[in-house]
Amino acid sequence: MKRFIIALTFLFALGAAQVSDPLLGRAKVSFSPIPESPPAIPGNAITPAKVSLGKMLYFDPRLSASQLLSCNSCHNLGLAGVDIQQTSTGHGWQKGPRNAPTVLNSAYNVAQFWDGRAADLMEQAKGPIQAGVEMNNTPERVVATLASMPQYVERFSAAFPDESEPLSFDNVARAIEAFEATLITPESDFDLYLAGDSDALTAVQKSGLKVFMDKGCVACHQGVNVGGQGYFPFGVVQRPAGSIRPEADKGRYQVTRTPSDEYVFRSPPLRNVALTYPYFHSGAVWSLEEAVTVMGSTQLGIQLDPQEASEIAAFLTALTGRQPVVDYPVLPPSTADTPKPELDVTAPAG
């Protein structure tokens, strides 16, 4: 009975807060707070052994042919899961074609990569390892590298105890997926606001939230990740500048080969966006306010005035959550059987 009374009191208080702050009621229709616990991954149970192994693999540069690049190179967990580069630098100092999205909260996205070509984080983990412009490796070489180190063999057996061949390229990706699913950022000021604390946002941030919803930004950026849930043309109303939307990159069309998907991209999630510059798939814009202004003109056909852009940018800073604290793992030492680094850009790995 006591618990019922406490719960009822909380609900009344929350209802009163929404009455005194109608904006909160509107926000709760379109947005959800980041939960404290990581989301479940269908077909890939998140276990401590798997997460621990995935963390090691995430930081291990020996997954790359050069043994210089790790997942953390382009998705630096000390930098909100990005590399603060216009486009990432890969094998042999090659430049990738797109800006690296943040890995934080990525388990909440409908799909991975700007064009959604990976259905989940497991599939995504395989891509950069094999891409010639990124880690330039092969599944066979990855497995041979890890199998040459007894500690990794033991770790895979512990993480995948029911499998006849625990150490496989698929399980490399599964372990990384399990670790990445834990990289969530709850307790942002906006989450506290959604939970009923009307004072969690400043007056300027509330004004920005109102403009964000009134102008229509919420149409593409909603849900728990404030985006990342759908695909939209970049340039719905007005074509962006060529430096922002390069003509050669046709987005999702390169996956589906459907003409209507030309220059269509997955909407970027806006969690921690104040920390994940530069912006857009091209990485061409470094200012959050400029990015907001570009989106207003290209997607909504409106010219946001400087105050509106500033207020929206202020609201977006409230999406910065508690950053994950990850201890750098001590990795197993290489052995005489571990393949040697391959640095030649022209020669295939393996």
Side-chain angles (χ1 to χ4, degrees), residues 135-198:
M135 298 170 80
N136 194 44
N137 217 340
T138 65
E140 296 76 17
R141 183 182 172 99
V142 168
V143 171
T145 297
L146 298 173
S148 72
M149 294 172 262
Q151 289 183 41
Y152 264 132
V153 174
E154 294 173 5
R155 292 271 186 166
F156 273 91
S157 295
F160 301 96
D162 300 325
E163 299 194 17
S164 58
E165 294 185 18
L167 205 171
S168 67
F169 190 60
D170 277 351
N171 284 347
V172 168
R174 287 192 182 96
I176 293 174
E177 177 183 48
F179 170 63
E180 290 181 341
T182 69
L183 301 176
I184 57 176
T185 62
E187 296 184 6
S188 70
D189 289 340
F190 188 51
D191 289 328
L192 300 178
Y193 181 72
L194 291 173
D197 182 0
S198 184

Side-chain angles (χ1 to χ4, degrees), residues 55-331:
K55 180 172 74 170
M56 295 173 73
L57 296 170
Y58 187 91
F59 283 97
D60 200 327
R62 290 168 297 187
L63 294 189
S64 67
S66 66
Q67 301 190 9
L68 290 171
L69 302 170
S70 69
C71 302
N72 193 63
S73 298
C74 297
H75 304 284
N76 193 315
L77 299 185
L79 296 172
V82 299
D83 58 6
I84 313 185
Q85 300 291 306
Q86 184 167 343
T87 61
S88 296
T89 302
H91 185 80
W93 293 100
Q94 298 177 89
K95 295 294 291 184
R98 293 178 183 155
N99 178 261
T102 179
V103 70
L104 302 183
N105 307 306
S106 57
Y108 293 112
N109 294 331
V110 67
Q112 306 302 321
F113 296 115
W114 284 96
D115 54 19
R117 66 184 181 274
D120 51 37
L121 286 170
M122 176 183 169
E123 186 178 348
Q124 186 277 330
K126 296 179 178 181
I129 293 174
Q130 300 177 82
V133 75
E134 296 183 66
M135 298 170 80
N136 194 44
N137 217 340
T138 65
E140 296 76 17
R141 183 182 172 99
V142 168
V143 171
T145 297
L146 298 173
S148 72
M149 294 172 262
Q151 289 183 41
Y152 264 132
V153 174
E154 294 173 5
R155 292 271 186 166
F156 273 91
S157 295
F160 301 96
D162 300 325
E163 299 194 17
S164 58
E165 294 185 18
L167 205 171
S168 67
F169 190 60
D170 277 351
N171 284 347
V172 168
R174 287 192 182 96
I176 293 174
E177 177 183 48
F179 170 63
E180 290 181 341
T182 69
L183 301 176
I184 57 176
T185 62
E187 296 184 6
S188 70
D189 289 340
F190 188 51
D191 289 328
L192 300 178
Y193 181 72
L194 291 173
D197 182 0
S198 184
D199 295 329
L201 298 187
T202 67
V204 174
Q205 288 172 331
K206 288 181 181 179
S207 295
L209 171 59
K210 184 176 186 302
V211 176
F212 188 88
M213 293 191 291
D214 288 348
K215 296 295 186 180
C217 308
V218 70
C220 300
H221 298 284
Q222 56 182 279
V224 68
N225 224 5
V226 195
Q229 296 303 304
Y231 302 96
F232 303 92
F234 188 16
V236 174
V237 180
Q238 180 178 312
R239 178 178 169 181
S243 60
I244 296 176
R245 196 197 73 178
E247 288 296 308
D249 187 349
K250 294 190 176 183
R252 190 152 174 77
Y253 170 79
Q254 295 169 210
V255 178
T256 67
R257 296 300 173 183
T258 301
S260 60
D261 281 338
E262 287 190 358
Y263 304 109
V264 167
F265 296 87
R266 188 202 64 193
S267 63
L270 299 183
R271 291 283 181 175
N272 304 293
V273 69
L275 306 178
T276 57
Y277 49 85
Y279 302 112
F280 305 122
H281 67 285
S282 59
V285 174
W286 289 81
S287 161
L288 186 54
E289 291 186 18
E290 182 182 352
V292 167
T293 301
V294 169
M295 291 301 286
S297 60
T298 62
Q299 304 304 97
L300 303 173
I302 58 176
Q303 186 62 48
L304 295 169
D305 64 46
Q307 180 176 339
E308 290 172 326
S310 178
E311 289 175 344
I312 291 177
F315 159 63
L316 295 177
T317 65
L319 299 179
T320 300
R322 187 184 74 229
Q323 302 297 292
V325 177
V326 180
D327 294 331
Y328 200 103
V330 177
L331 303 176

